[in-house]
Amino acid sequence: MKNEILEVTDLCKRYPDIYLDHIHFQLEEKKIIGLIGANGAGKSTILKLLLRIIDPDQGKIFFQGKDILVHKRMDYKRKIGYVGENIEFFSKCRLEKIKKFYQNFYPSWKENDFNDMLNKMGLKLNYKMEDLSKGMKMKFNLCLALSHHPALLLLDEPTAGLDPLVRNEILKILREQVEEYRTSVIFSSHITEDMEKISDELLFIHQGKIIDYCNTKDLISKNVPIDVYLESLINQMN
């Protein structure tokens, strides 16, 4: 029996430059979905809808069995972690101050786990955010997002612009989190190499439409690179 943590049905959102067109997908516990598409395809819009940063024109979003669009309460967000590409917030603050601000929102915050992750990543709380490299900033944001052990983790281009060693380290941390705490993940990226390493399933999106949904291992077993497969899907539409 499948244990679905997230179900998205008939989700639509219209902007002048993009129309998110009747999006459907499900996410099981302990699974990682790779959300793949070019910039402007609609990946970030889907994540914003899941976080209720914006509201859809129509559709339903069920998180842990409850329709989050029916209720005005936002308590469900305490069970969700988020890491985005834009990591320039609180640039003048020390990490200690940022951590204290962040942890107040999460009753399930685990201080010992945060400190363990921080040590593994070679970070010190007396550092200022502006003094960190992009890779170290991303690691710190992951520490924040994972230290309350979210049921669902949303990642929006977290490895963009990072060198391969840092990217591999981040992917290893994510996989450990999934296995130990049964976290489910939506990983939005255009870096197909990372998707091959981390995702269980692939959700291909183009111009606001889901154009395919497949098992990552099945695709790799056919010796078809993910980017080549995406290009073939787009060509079939033209």
Side-chain angles (χ1 to χ4, degrees), residues 46-183:
I46 291 174
L47 299 186
K48 289 177 182 177
L49 288 165
L50 295 178
L51 289 168
R52 298 280 309 272
I53 294 172
I54 57 175
D55 285 327
D57 298 327
Q58 71 177 67
K60 295 182 180 296
I61 302 172
F62 290 91
F63 174 63
Q64 295 186 322
K66 296 181 180 180
D67 188 345
I68 66 172
L69 299 176
V70 171
H71 306 286
K72 293 184 178 180
R73 294 177 63 89
M74 298 290 184
D75 291 0
Y76 79 96
K77 291 187 180 183
R78 292 177 173 173
K79 299 179 181 179
I80 296 178
Y82 172 80
V83 178
E85 184 180 7
N86 184 5
I87 51 179
E88 298 303 323
F89 62 90
F90 300 134
S91 61
K92 300 293 183 182
C93 293
R94 298 194 186 277
L95 304 190
E96 172 71 22
K97 187 173 183 180
I98 298 172
K99 186 266 294 187
K100 287 181 178 179
F101 173 82
Y102 192 92
Q103 72 181 118
N104 289 331
F105 294 96
Y106 299 100
S108 59
W109 180 271
K110 305 297 183 184
E111 185 71 8
N112 288 339
D113 292 346
F114 172 81
N115 290 328
D116 287 345
M117 276 191 281
L118 205 71
N119 289 332
K120 286 180 182 178
M121 295 180 185
L123 291 164
K124 303 290 185 182
L125 287 176
N126 62 344
Y127 291 168
K128 286 186 177 180
M129 184 64 98
E130 65 180 355
D131 296 330
L132 302 181
S133 66
K134 185 173 182 179
M136 296 301 272
K137 289 176 182 176
M138 188 58 67
K139 289 179 183 180
F140 178 65
N141 284 344
L142 270 176
C143 285
L144 295 176
L146 296 179
S147 292
H148 58 98
H149 302 314
L152 173 63
L153 180 63
L154 305 178
L155 303 171
D156 193 3
E157 300 283 358
T159 57
L162 303 181
D163 67 66
L165 288 177
V166 175
R167 281 166 39 206
N168 286 337
E169 189 176 357
I170 287 174
L171 296 181
K172 180 181 178 182
I173 292 167
L174 291 176
R175 179 52 70 182
E176 290 173 350
Q177 177 77 17
V178 168
E179 293 301 324
E180 187 169 356
Y181 298 104
R182 309 186 69 85
T183 303

